Structure formats: structure tokens, C-alpha cells
Amino acid sequence: MSTESQPTCVTEYLSEDHRRLDAILSEALLLTEQPATVADAARRFGQFRSGLLRHIEIEEQILFPAFEEATGMSGGGPTMVMRMEHKSIRELLDRIDGALARGEGSEASWGIEELVDLMGGHNGKEEHVLYPMSDEIAGDADARAALVARMRRS
């Protein structure tokens, strides 16, 4: 995250992290295209994977429970959909990781392209629906900032 101006709402904080992660994934994808750089792709993808798993954990352990408590939507709703998509994302991360471990750049590339497609829709739902709703229900600016501070500390 930027140190110049710290985000003070969920939408800014997590959307900025999406952009950071997207840039890392793009680099990993480019590195899968040449056999000589597959090891570099694996290293860069490992950084992406760690960052994305942390991002998902923040959502599932902090944001979703806060959203569910505030809305009363604990058995369904948008967080249930996001959790199901997170499961698919984790499975795809494992598949790509395995391909890279085997040095199979083209298979990893296909997996990354599939992941980009999946995450495009997923991130769009989060950035345009879930995050703004979370900011709205969190309350005033101090409450939003406190929620972001909890995420930043995790």
C-alpha cells in the first residue's frame, strides 16, 4: 500500500490492493512465455499468490464478518458468493503453482489467463457492490478508518 496517503475506506484500501496484485500477476504471465524465464515466473507468481491469499484472508476474517453482522446476511447474500469464488480462486492458484513447479510455462500461462478472467468479474463485484456497501454500513469516517486499520494490521 502507498505510504503517501493511507486509504481510509474499504473501497480504496482493497481496490488499491487489487491493482497491486494485478500488476504482479501480469508480470508473472509475461515471464511464462519464455522457457528461460519460467523459474522467474514461479517466483513472481509465488509473490502474487501470497499477496492474494492475504487479501482473501482479510476479506473472509475481517470484512465479511463485519458486513454480515451489520446487514444480518450471514447465511447468504454477497459474502456467500464471494466465499464460493474464493474457493475457485484458491483451486486455480494451486493448479498454476503446480504447473510452474513442473516448469510447464504454457500450462501456467493458460491457468493465469483463466485466473485473470475469473478475478476480473470477482473484483468487479467487490469494487462496485460489496466494498461500497461495506463502507456505507460501516458508518462515519472514523468507523471506516477503524475497519481499514484492522485490515492493515492483519
Side-chain angles (χ1 to χ4, degrees):
M1 300 295 146
S2 171
T3 57
E4 296 168 1
S5 167
Q6 294 293 330
T8 58
C9 71
V10 171
T11 302
E12 280 181 31
Y13 181 71
L14 292 175
S15 296
E16 184 177 306
D17 201 36
H18 282 167
R19 289 188 297 278
R20 180 185 70 82
L21 291 167
D22 289 346
I24 297 169
L25 186 59
S26 292
E27 291 174 23
L29 178 59
L30 287 173
L31 291 167
T32 63
E33 295 174 0
Q34 300 295 321
T37 57
V38 170
D40 292 330
R43 180 188 53 77
R44 199 64 175 136
F45 183 77
Q47 293 168 343
F48 165 80
R49 185 172 194 247
S50 292
L52 183 59
L53 290 174
R54 179 185 177 273
H55 181 98
I56 288 171
E57 183 176 317
I58 287 169
E59 290 176 344
E60 292 185 350
Q61 300 301 316
I62 298 170
L63 181 64
F64 295 176
F67 180 89
E68 291 164 350
E69 182 179 333
T71 63
M73 289 190 233
S74 61
T79 56
M80 183 184 76
V81 173
M82 295 297 104
R83 283 185 175 99
M84 290 184 333
E85 291 180 3
H86 286 170
K87 183 178 186 286
S88 297
I89 289 168
R90 285 183 186 103
E91 290 168 358
L92 195 47
L93 289 174
D94 289 344
R95 194 174 95 209
I96 296 164
D97 202 40
L100 288 167
R102 294 186 301 275
E104 297 171 356
S106 62
E107 184 178 329
S109 177
W110 293 329
I112 291 173
E113 289 175 6
E114 186 179 338
L115 182 60
V116 167
D117 288 343
L118 175 60
M119 288 181 50
H122 177 83
N123 291 354
K125 286 181 267 189
E126 288 181 337
E127 292 178 12
H128 299 292
V129 178
L130 185 64
Y131 297 167
M133 285 177 69
S134 296
D135 283 324
E136 185 176 324
I137 63 175
D140 64 15
D142 289 340
R144 289 190 303 272
L147 182 58
V148 170
R150 283 182 54 211
M151 291 181 199
R152 194 176 284 121
R153 285 191 304 268
S154 70

